[in-house]
Amino acid sequence: MHRQLANLEAPVSASRSPNSWLENGCAIGVLSVQGKGSTFWFSVRLQKQPVPQSALDGNRIFVNARVLIIDDNATNGRFLHEQIVAWKMRSGTANTASDALDCLRKAAQERDPYPLAIIDLDMPNMDGWALAREIKADPKIAGTQLILLADLGQGISPENLRSADITDCCFKPVRQSTLFDCLTNALLESPAALQPGARSSAALRPQLQKARVLIAEDNAVNQQVALVQLEQLGYRAEAVPNGLAVLEALNRTPYDIILMDCQMPEMDGFETTRRIRTRTENFRQPYIIAMTAQAMSGDTEKCLAAGMNDYISKPVQLDAFAAALARGLSKKVETTPLNRHAG
């Protein structure tokens, strides 16, 4: 049975439940036209949630790094600026190619250069390709890593990017995770972007340099981030993409510490750890630190049951990373086979 309702609004204050969360100025309503259908709508007031501190501090290579946003569209520029600032980076803006060149040269002259610049492809007078060539032609600012911002249908090829010496490309609308990956890749190609203060861990560095470290992580970006963080702490490390590769690597090298991602293809971190712990016959057991994306209830127990020694959550804070690694170097790892944990 069809009920014709015209511009019907049902304020939530009329709800039967006086304690309903849909009070406090919220509303619900419906617009119905016979023979065409109905449109239901509602409005609610939501409190903005703070960004978790771990997300802000998890990747120290972002902290204080400068990024120049070059975009004539104020809305796009504002979105990028807000996201970059949320990651504790320093953001500058330019509306034209000419302004961008002035900003980059001035920053270089003041010895506080921009290691990164995000360039919108479609700008008046000089487009993104031409601006990239201008930047790379100037020795004073050629070290700036460039990220191109383009519409999805513009067909940007890797050859186009290489020919203009552009590090990466983000397509609009820009997703937060894509922007994060692009910035990370660009920073890893710009050693000057790493802050000297983040590299200094003088008390730990002499000891940490002696350890052999293996990273088990299937995500290439996460691998590079972990390698940079380890370098900041004085480590040299190798990375493999899954548990099977871990077992093969241990046949060649007696690693002291393994940073083990729990979720990997082919063989996950839990099964890999169980197999490592069953090894005997002059095999020196490594200290295994679990790395997982979310600290869910029961994760710690599951990691320890598999034979892992320690546990840190992603994104990994550098201080927590250093502390876990130091614990690994200071403890003798149990070498008794852990068959009781298997299967």
Side-chain angles (χ1 to χ4, degrees):
M1 179 177 177
H2 181 79
R3 231 181 242 185
Q4 184 175 359
L5 302 172
N7 294 322
L8 174 61
E9 294 186 7
V12 180
S13 58
S15 171
R16 292 188 208 173
S17 173
N19 297 319
S20 171
W21 63 274
L22 287 174
E23 294 181 352
N24 301 326
C26 302
I28 186 170
V30 59
L31 174 64
S32 183
V33 179
Q34 189 172 9
K36 293 186 177 181
S38 303
T39 300
F40 296 87
W41 62 267
F42 68 92
S43 63
V44 295
R45 292 183 178 180
L46 301 175
Q47 183 176 2
K48 183 178 180 181
Q49 298 298 307
V51 178
Q53 193 63 32
S54 60
L56 295 177
D57 295 336
N59 197 329
R60 295 291 181 88
I61 64 171
F62 277 14
V63 176
N64 215 34
R66 297 189 82 183
V67 184
L68 182 63
I69 301 167
I70 308 165
D71 197 329
D72 61 313
N73 185 298
T75 302
N76 290 343
R78 184 165 55 254
F79 166 79
L80 293 170
H81 167 78
E82 290 174 355
Q83 186 56 71
I84 285 168
V85 170
W87 286 327
K88 293 190 175 181
M89 306 176 86
R90 292 183 291 156
S91 170
T93 58
N95 298 323
T96 67
S98 176
D99 288 344
L101 292 169
D102 289 342
C103 288
L104 292 171
R105 288 164 179 157
K106 182 179 180 182
Q109 185 177 7
E110 294 173 349
R111 297 186 179 181
D112 187 16
Y114 285 97
L116 300 177
I118 301 174
I119 303 176
D120 185 49
L121 177 58
D122 296 317
M123 290 191 302
N125 301 324
M126 184 186 296
D127 66 12
W129 299 118
L131 176 56
R133 287 191 288 270
E134 286 284 334
I135 292 171
K136 294 301 180 178
D138 187 338
K140 295 180 180 179
I141 57 176
T144 301
Q145 301 297 318
L146 306 179
I147 297 172
L148 190 68
L149 198 63
D151 291 325
L152 189 58
Q154 289 184 290
I156 308 298
S157 70
E159 291 74 20
N160 295 146
L161 298 177
R162 280 194 293 269
S163 65
D165 203 2
I166 293 173
T167 304
D168 214 335
C169 180
C170 274
F171 290 103
K172 305 177 203 175
V174 179
R175 296 178 59 186
Q176 184 184 58
S177 59
T178 303
L179 179 62
F180 180 91
D181 289 348
C182 285
L183 291 172
T184 300
N185 289 336
L187 279 172
L188 291 172
E189 295 191 18
S190 177
L194 299 177
Q195 297 303 309
R199 293 179 175 270
S200 63
S201 184
L204 294 174
R205 180 169 295 189
Q207 184 182 21
L208 295 178
Q209 286 177 335
K210 299 177 183 178
R212 290 179 290 268
V213 182
L214 180 66
I215 302 167
E217 168 65 67
D218 61 303
N219 183 287
V221 172
N222 290 343
Q223 277 188 7
Q224 292 301 314
V225 170
L227 287 168
V228 168
Q229 289 181 315
L230 287 168
E231 182 183 357
Q232 292 171 354
L233 294 169
Y235 276 103
R236 290 185 181 275
E238 297 179 0
V240 294
N242 57 60
L244 292 176
V246 171
L247 299 178
E248 292 175 3
L250 286 171
N251 291 333
R252 301 188 304 268
T253 304
Y255 288 98
D256 301 293
I257 296 175
I258 299 178
L259 303 170
M260 187 78 74
D261 183 38
C262 292
Q263 304 299 328
M264 294 183 292
E266 298 189 48
M267 184 183 293
D268 66 21
F270 301 112
E271 178 61 24
T272 304
T273 300
R274 283 190 284 266
R275 295 198 184 190
I276 291 171
R277 294 310 188 210
T278 59
R279 291 191 177 192
T280 54
E281 300 298 329
N282 300 321
F283 177 74
R284 186 174 70 183
Q285 288 286 338
Y287 190 87
I288 300 178
I289 302 172
M291 296 194 303
T292 187
Q294 293 183 338
M296 303 297 290
S297 176
D299 278 0
T300 302
E301 292 76 11
K302 187 176 180 181
C303 291
L304 296 177
M308 299 178 185
N309 305 99
D310 212 332
Y311 178 100
I312 51 179
S313 298
K314 302 176 187 176
V316 180
Q317 297 186 38
L318 198 64
D319 292 342
F321 209 178
L325 295 167
R327 289 193 294 271
L329 291 174
S330 64
K331 293 182 180 180
K332 182 178 180 181
V333 178
E334 176 63 57
T335 57
T336 303
L338 300 180
N339 291 326
R340 64 183 182 275
H341 295 313

